[in-house]
Amino acid sequence: MKISELGQRAGIPLSALKYYQREGLLPEGIRSSPNQTSYGEAHVQRVHLIRALLQTGGLSVAATKDVIAVLDAPDAPIAETFRVAQHAMGTPRTTELTPSPAARERILALAREQEWCIANDNPGIDTAARALEGLEAIGFDAPADYLGAYAAAAAEAAGADLRALASLDEPDKVAELMVVGTVLGDPLFAGLRRLAHEDATTALFPVDDTNGKQP
Amino acid sequence: MKISELGQRAGIPLSALKYYQREGLLPEGIRSSPNQTSYGEAHVQRVHLIRALLQTGGLSVAATKDVIAVLDAPDAPIAETFRVAQHAMGTPRTTELTPSPAARERILALAREQEWCIANDNPGIDTAARALEGLEAIGFDAPADYLGAYAAAAAEAAGADLRALASLDEPDKVAELMVVGTVLGDPLFAGLRRLAHEDATTALFPVDDTNGKQP
């Protein structure tokens, strides 16, 4: 197909496709004549992936490029692919602060309680530790049952992620869902948690106005 | 205390304090003489809150200002405070795309299954729906058990959040933890989910290299 058809199939403007190509995210099509380049299904899939990482996942162009390079590397063991992708994705929004050793140690202790086998450089440690420090800054010293509930919730979601991966046949699809699921599981959970908050808050602190409520 | 002591107590440079004041986030101190302004404990707490929202939570200055205005409003019912704060906080990273009606409907159906009582304009609906669309874009049509696990995880975390709120005595502290906990619960969960991922992935796809692993 022509690049204009690729844009229609993927539902994005030509200018965005050219931008993806300039940034090295989307490979060139196959040159079928001096003035004509041809695109296939692999390009449609790639555009969907780029869009999911950049726009919905909120990754930078550089991080998106790193993640795609990992996905494209042949013969990488799948756990290694996941590890490299996790680091490439980093932890958006909270990269500028280094957490205190005490906050890191609380997260490591929590991981030991869960009997999680993890590397000391898993970027999740710093992400969670920084959140803990922010809670401590307003005087909330997250108690053990609070952290335990979050760890249980994380294990539940991660279990669902892994079952979804195990249900796929093609290695390419597994790697793709690993990466995209890691990025998009965060906003999926964040959105659902806000719904659960509203439900629980309404139950605890009823308001008179019931307009627009679901049954 | 003087503004220089406020900076020391809160652990941030004077330039940051002046920036917070210029942006209307931090109120002026009490003028104790024509050349002297005096700050109290409330200012220290406020600086911690601003820092948690801006830096760890990744909110914009405008969103931080909105959230603080809600916290400062007297006599607002607590459920209303929460609702306004949720909207002010919006949904970082994924605000630019409007999800399809089909994706929104899947999230609303999931909420009905959970018997959650929620408003149709809860911003979590769009956040979760956009994540769902991103997963669909790479061909993963999130099955019911996957979404159910995420909803259960969200309910578990939200339950811990509400128990933490119920443990506090002062209304000011409740409102503060509501807002900061809503923002920082996301990275706390995101970090822990990455740890749970590594644990589950290592179990499914063992690698030889065990350097740096926790027992």
Side-chain angles (χ1 to χ4, degrees):
Chain A
M1 70 188 90
K2 292 184 195 171
I3 194 165
S4 56
E5 288 173 77
L6 174 61
Q8 279 165 12
R9 280 284 308 280
I12 66 164
L14 201 58
S15 58
L17 288 182
K18 300 223 159 154
Y19 173 69
Y20 294 169
Q21 289 190 325
R22 269 202 313 280
E23 293 290 341
L25 298 170
L26 180 68
E28 294 287 331
I30 294 157
R31 199 159 288 273
S32 46
S33 79
N35 297 320
Q36 186 91 30
T37 314
S38 170
Y39 294 84
E41 282 308 312
H43 289 94
V44 178
Q45 290 302 315
R46 172 57 56 91
V47 172
H48 284 151
L49 176 62
I50 294 167
R51 206 172 152 79
L53 292 172
L54 274 182
Q55 298 215 339
T56 311
L59 293 200
S60 67
V61 168
T64 302
K65 208 184 276 188
D66 286 349
V67 167
I68 284 176
V70 172
L71 289 179
D72 285 347
D75 303 326
I78 210 152
E80 177 64 12
T81 301
F82 201 18
R83 198 188 71 79
V84 174
Q86 274 202 341
H87 283 266
M89 286 180 292
T91 53
R93 301 166 58 191
T94 60
T95 40
E96 68 279 5
L97 295 170
T98 303
S100 69
R104 266 185 68 93
E105 180 46 38
R106 284 197 70 192
I107 297 300
L108 289 171
L110 179 64
R112 281 194 297 271
E113 270 168 42
Q114 309 295 316
E115 303 190 347
W116 286 342
C117 177
I118 55 164
N120 285 321
D121 67 344
N122 184 310
I125 299 167
D126 281 7
T127 307
R130 278 186 292 259
L132 212 54
E133 281 191 317
L135 292 170
E136 282 165 4
I138 60 151
F140 178 67
D141 189 23
D145 63 332
Y146 179 86
L147 291 180
Y150 267 82
E156 171 129 31
D161 293 337
L162 270 284
R163 285 193 298 278
L165 292 173
S167 74
L168 300 175
D169 296 329
E170 303 164 46
D172 279 7
K173 287 278 164 199
V174 171
E176 198 174 66
L177 180 58
M178 256 187 182
V179 171
V180 177
T182 298
V183 174
L184 297 188
D186 292 340
L188 178 60
F189 173 85
L192 294 177
R193 180 166 154 266
R194 278 155 185 69
L195 302 187
H197 271 163
E198 183 180 352
D199 178 62
T201 311
T202 308
L204 266 187
F205 310 101
V207 281
D208 280 343
D209 174 13
T210 52
N211 287 340
K213 301 281 169 184
Q214 292 233 111
Chain B
M1 70 188 90
K2 292 184 194 169
I3 193 165
S4 55
E5 289 172 77
L6 174 61
Q8 279 165 13
R9 280 282 308 281
I12 66 164
L14 201 59
S15 57
L17 288 182
K18 301 224 158 153
Y19 172 69
Y20 294 168
Q21 288 190 325
R22 267 202 315 279
E23 293 290 340
L25 297 170
L26 180 69
E28 294 288 332
I30 294 157
R31 199 160 288 272
S32 47
S33 80
N35 297 318
Q36 186 91 31
T37 314
S38 170
Y39 294 84
E41 282 307 311
H43 289 93
V44 178
Q45 290 303 316
R46 172 58 56 91
V47 172
H48 284 151
L49 176 62
I50 294 167
R51 204 173 155 77
L53 292 171
L54 274 182
Q55 298 216 339
T56 311
L59 293 200
S60 67
V61 168
T64 301
K65 207 184 277 189
D66 287 348
V67 168
I68 284 176
V70 172
L71 289 180
D72 285 347
D75 303 326
I78 209 151
E80 177 64 11
T81 302
F82 202 16
R83 199 189 69 81
V84 175
Q86 275 202 341
H87 282 267
M89 287 182 291
T91 53
R93 302 164 61 192
T94 59
T95 39
E96 67 280 7
L97 294 170
T98 303
S100 69
R104 266 185 68 93
E105 179 45 40
R106 285 198 70 192
I107 298 300
L108 289 171
L110 179 64
R112 281 193 297 270
E113 271 168 43
Q114 309 296 317
E115 303 190 349
W116 286 342
C117 177
I118 55 164
N120 285 323
D121 67 344
N122 185 311
I125 299 167
D126 281 6
T127 307
R130 278 187 291 259
L132 212 55
E133 281 191 318
L135 291 169
E136 282 165 3
I138 60 151
F140 179 66
D141 189 23
D145 64 332
Y146 180 86
L147 292 180
Y150 267 83
E156 170 128 32
D161 294 337
L162 270 284
R163 284 192 299 277
L165 292 173
S167 75
L168 300 174
D169 296 330
E170 303 164 46
D172 279 5
K173 287 278 165 199
V174 172
E176 198 173 66
L177 180 58
M178 255 187 182
V179 171
V180 176
T182 299
V183 174
L184 297 188
D186 291 341
L188 178 61
F189 173 86
L192 295 177
R193 180 166 154 265
R194 276 155 186 70
L195 302 187
H197 271 162
E198 183 181 350
D199 178 62
T201 312
T202 308
L204 265 188
F205 310 101
V207 281
D208 282 342
D209 175 12
T210 51
N211 288 341
K213 300 282 168 184
Q214 293 232 111

